[in-house]
């Protein structure tokens, strides 16, 4: 019979493999069949939106306000990520969780799995990596949204050969992709947080997270106009 300490060696890698495999599959769907995913449909419609904004100078204020809202959302999430990272660092260095005191396990026998303090420190470090990754991704999102705010207000009649609505659409889509990746880092942190309470909650939450994300990411009946169907994903 499998010992409690061996559950982490089996369930945790399987849970992580399930989540990574799902995102590999999602990336394939976005690249090959974008109109069957929410991310792909949104990327196509952002290009159409950029063309509409740049075709009329009267839309400049609307475009800037929309991008400002996106920047504020990314800024809020990046601030949240760095605050959570700071909290994890405090917990890792605090004697209250017993990580630095070494030796005995934690949880008082309630953790059905490896409860060594060394593994606890690894758990906190994995969560810290998720939050720091999310912070960096949201910062990059702000960067691309800021670039878009400048480029989208250049009138079409004054365009250089390299500045087209399609190019601006690629820039804003990069900002959105970084925002989505930052959210994925938050999603990955949830099973890792539950890993503190044992490998079984972590494994169950990983499976549940994949089902949850599947219904959020896929679009089985996309309603696309003829104009949008002819737009290539950038």
């Amino acid at each position: 019979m499998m010992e409690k300490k061996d559950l982490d060696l089996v369930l945790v890698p399987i849970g992580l493999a399930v989540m990574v495999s799902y995102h590999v599959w999602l990336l394939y769907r976005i690249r090959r069949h974008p109109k069957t995913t929410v991310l792909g449909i949104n990327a196509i419609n952002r290009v159409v939106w950029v063309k509409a904004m740049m075709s009329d100078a009267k839309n400049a204020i609307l475009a800037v306000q929309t991008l400002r809202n996106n920047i504020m959302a990314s800024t809020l999430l990046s601030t949240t990520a760095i605050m959570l990272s700071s909290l994890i660092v405090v917990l890792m260095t605090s004697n209250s969780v017993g990580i630095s005191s070494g030796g005995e396990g934690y949880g008082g026998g309630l953790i059905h799995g490896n409860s060594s303090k060394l593994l606890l420190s690894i758990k906190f470090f994995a969560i810290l990596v998720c939050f720091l990754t999310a912070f960096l991704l949201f910062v990059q999102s702000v960067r691309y949204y800021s670039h878009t705010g400048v480029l989208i207000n250049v009138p079409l009649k004054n365009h250089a050969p390299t500045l087209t609505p399609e190019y601006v659409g690629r820039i804003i889509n990069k900002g959105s992709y970084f925002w989505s990746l930052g959210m994925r880092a938050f999603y990955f942190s949830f099973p890792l947080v539950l890993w503190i309470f044992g490998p079984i909650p972590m494994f169950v939450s990983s499976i549940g997270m994949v089902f949850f994300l599947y219904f959020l990411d896929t679009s089985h009946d996309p309603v696309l106009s003829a104009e949008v169907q002819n737009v290539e994903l950038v």
Side-chain angles (χ1 to χ4, degrees):
M1 184 175 180
M2 184 179 300
E3 297 183 4
K4 289 172 57 177
K5 64 180 181 179
D6 295 330
L7 288 176
D8 293 87
L9 299 177
V10 176
L11 295 182
V12 173
I14 293 177
L16 293 176
V18 168
M19 294 193 66
V20 171
S21 299
Y22 167 76
H23 284 87
V24 171
W25 172 83
L26 178 62
L27 178 61
Y28 169 80
R29 298 294 294 183
I30 293 174
R31 298 298 299 175
R32 299 297 184 181
H33 308 283
K35 298 180 182 69
T36 63
T37 65
V38 174
L39 292 174
I41 293 174
N42 289 344
I44 293 172
N45 281 281
R46 275 190 295 270
V47 177
V48 177
W49 177 78
V50 167
K51 290 181 178 180
M53 294 298 103
M54 298 182 71
S55 62
D56 191 346
K58 296 179 181 179
N59 295 326
I61 296 178
L62 174 61
V64 170
Q65 287 179 339
T66 303
L67 292 169
R68 182 193 61 184
N69 293 337
N70 291 335
I71 291 174
M72 290 177 62
S74 297
T75 302
L76 175 62
L77 291 171
S78 64
T79 303
T80 302
I82 201 64
M83 288 177 58
L84 291 173
S85 300
S86 301
L87 176 61
I88 295 300
V89 170
V90 170
L91 291 176
M92 290 180 66
T93 57
S94 174
N95 287 328
S96 62
V97 296
I99 295 176
S100 58
S101 59
E104 300 177 359
Y106 72 99
L110 298 177
I111 305 301
H112 196 73
N114 192 334
S115 60
S116 67
K117 292 177 180 177
L118 174 61
L119 185 60
L120 179 61
S121 64
I122 295 175
K123 295 174 182 178
F124 276 113
F125 181 76
I127 299 170
L128 176 63
V129 169
C130 279
F131 289 146
L132 289 178
T133 301
F135 170 75
L136 294 175
L137 291 170
F138 286 127
V139 168
Q140 288 298 312
S141 177
V142 171
R143 172 194 174 198
Y144 281 104
Y145 283 141
S146 298
H147 291 339
T148 306
V150 175
L151 298 177
I152 202 170
N153 285 317
V154 178
L156 283 172
K157 61 182 180 181
N158 295 331
H159 278 175
T162 57
L163 185 57
T164 62
E166 289 75 15
Y167 173 79
V168 180
R170 286 194 292 270
I171 298 298
I172 192 174
N173 273 336
K174 286 181 180 180
S176 179
Y177 293 152
F178 277 113
W179 190 90
S180 297
L181 289 173
M183 290 301 301
R184 300 288 154 161
F186 274 136
Y187 295 151
F188 263 89
S189 69
F190 182 73
L192 295 178
V193 170
L194 292 183
W195 187 21
I196 297 175
F197 304 98
I200 296 178
M202 185 272 178
F203 176 75
V204 173
S205 65
S206 297
I207 302 299
M209 183 68 69
V210 167
F211 280 102
F212 173 73
L213 291 176
Y214 175 80
F215 288 105
L216 289 181
D217 293 331
T218 57
S219 177
H220 301 287
D221 298 305
V223 180
L224 300 174
S225 64
E227 178 184 1
V228 175
Q229 289 181 5
N230 294 327
V231 178
E232 295 295 331
L233 179 62
V234 293

